[in-house]
Amino acid sequence: YTIIDKKQAGNWYDGSALPYQTLQFEYDKTAICNEIKHNRENLNFDINVPHQNKLNLEEFGQYEPWAICYLIEGTESNKNLSIYEKSQSFKHLKHLYEFINRLPITNLYHFIIAELPPNSYIYPHIDSDYKKFKDKGTATMYFNLEKVDGVFYKMGNVGLVPNEGGLLINNKKYSHAVVNESQQTRHIVMISPAVLDREKLSTLVN
């Protein structure tokens, strides 16, 4: 696999040519990750989610299911609510609450915490569970919370992408997969999709 140069990323706003783009957005990874771990028992993590491929597992050796927790789950009834309104249900998680309300976006569909256990993987797939959310300029924002050696994010035919900070990714057009070969659970937060604030975001993209 190869890592593509950021200059090859194409149009980062409407996603027409975008595989991914790195984001220069400051966030306290350690505080957010510790908040998730501390509140783990009270968060509703689900392993029965789309793309949880359980077939041909012998090809990959030992396997544990990955899990997601919806802090905000997009529906027809709430899709037009403000981010502030959507985030009130987890206001007690102050680091996650502050994080989502600081992002350079004007709306979002899902706000997700995702866990990938040791010796596990997310099978290659293209996300398509938010087809009703058709605002122009939507893309997924992906934020790693800790550096875990042995975690690899593969996207389409562009190779491995950076896996340490924030990313803007087109996961509706490009297939992607993640492998965790380490002995540590990997945590990320993901906004999927987000309606980008063009003016604010332009200052954060390399």
Side-chain angles (χ1 to χ4, degrees):
Y1 297 144
T2 59
I3 297 178
I4 69 169
D5 186 89
K6 63 187 179 184
K7 295 179 181 178
Q8 300 177 41
N11 191 330
W12 56 264
Y13 182 72
D14 66 13
S16 60
L18 165 75
Y20 79 92
Q21 185 62 282
T22 58
L23 296 174
Q24 299 300 308
F25 180 77
E26 295 295 327
Y27 59 105
D28 193 333
K29 300 178 186 179
T30 301
I32 294 174
C33 196
N34 287 342
E35 186 170 66
I36 291 170
K37 292 176 181 179
H38 180 74
N39 292 277
R40 178 63 173 76
E41 293 184 0
N42 297 317
L43 294 170
N44 185 23
F45 278 88
D46 186 7
I47 63 172
N48 297 309
V49 291
H51 317 307
Q52 185 75 272
N53 193 304
K54 299 180 176 68
L55 302 176
N56 302 318
L57 300 183
E58 65 276 7
E59 176 184 354
F60 296 90
Q62 181 182 355
Y63 170 79
E64 294 183 54
W66 52 276
I68 63 174
C69 170
Y70 286 95
L71 291 176
I72 297 173
E73 184 170 9
T75 65
E76 281 296 308
S77 62
N78 72 6
K79 70 177 184 178
N80 293 319
L81 294 180
S82 69
I83 296 172
Y84 173 79
E85 291 173 296
K86 290 178 179 179
S87 62
Q88 292 305 299
S89 62
F90 58 92
K91 191 174 182 178
H92 60 290
L93 302 172
K94 65 176 185 178
H95 296 291
L96 284 160
Y97 177 79
E98 177 186 346
F99 170 82
I100 197 64
N101 282 285
R102 285 180 51 236
L103 285 177
I105 58 180
T106 59
N107 202 353
L108 61 90
Y109 197 53
H110 298 321
F111 181 34
I112 298 168
I113 304 169
E115 291 183 338
L116 185 61
N119 301 306
S120 192
Y121 70 92
I122 298 176
Y123 209 76
H125 65 282
I126 295 176
D127 292 346
S128 59
D129 62 333
Y130 43 77
K131 292 180 179 178
K132 294 180 180 179
F133 196 77
K134 296 180 179 179
D135 301 66
K136 184 178 179 181
T138 58
T140 292
M141 303 181 88
Y142 174 105
F143 295 92
N144 195 28
L145 296 180
E146 52 197 339
K147 180 173 174 54
V148 179
D149 292 332
V151 174
F152 304 98
Y153 189 114
K154 171 69 166 58
M155 187 160 208
N157 60 356
V158 301
L160 297 181
V161 301
N163 197 29
E164 295 184 8
L167 292 173
L168 183 69
I169 61 175
N170 184 339
N171 58 348
K172 293 185 291 183
K173 181 177 179 181
Y174 295 89
S175 64
H176 49 287
V178 189
V179 175
N180 183 0
E181 296 180 344
S182 78
Q183 299 302 310
Q184 179 181 345
T185 297
R186 180 225 61 172
H187 294 88
I188 63 138
V189 291
M190 184 166 61
I191 296 86
S192 178
V195 182
L196 311 176
D197 185 319
R198 181 193 292 263
E199 182 178 351
K200 291 181 180 179
L201 193 65
S202 64
T203 66
L204 302 176
V205 177
N206 284 334

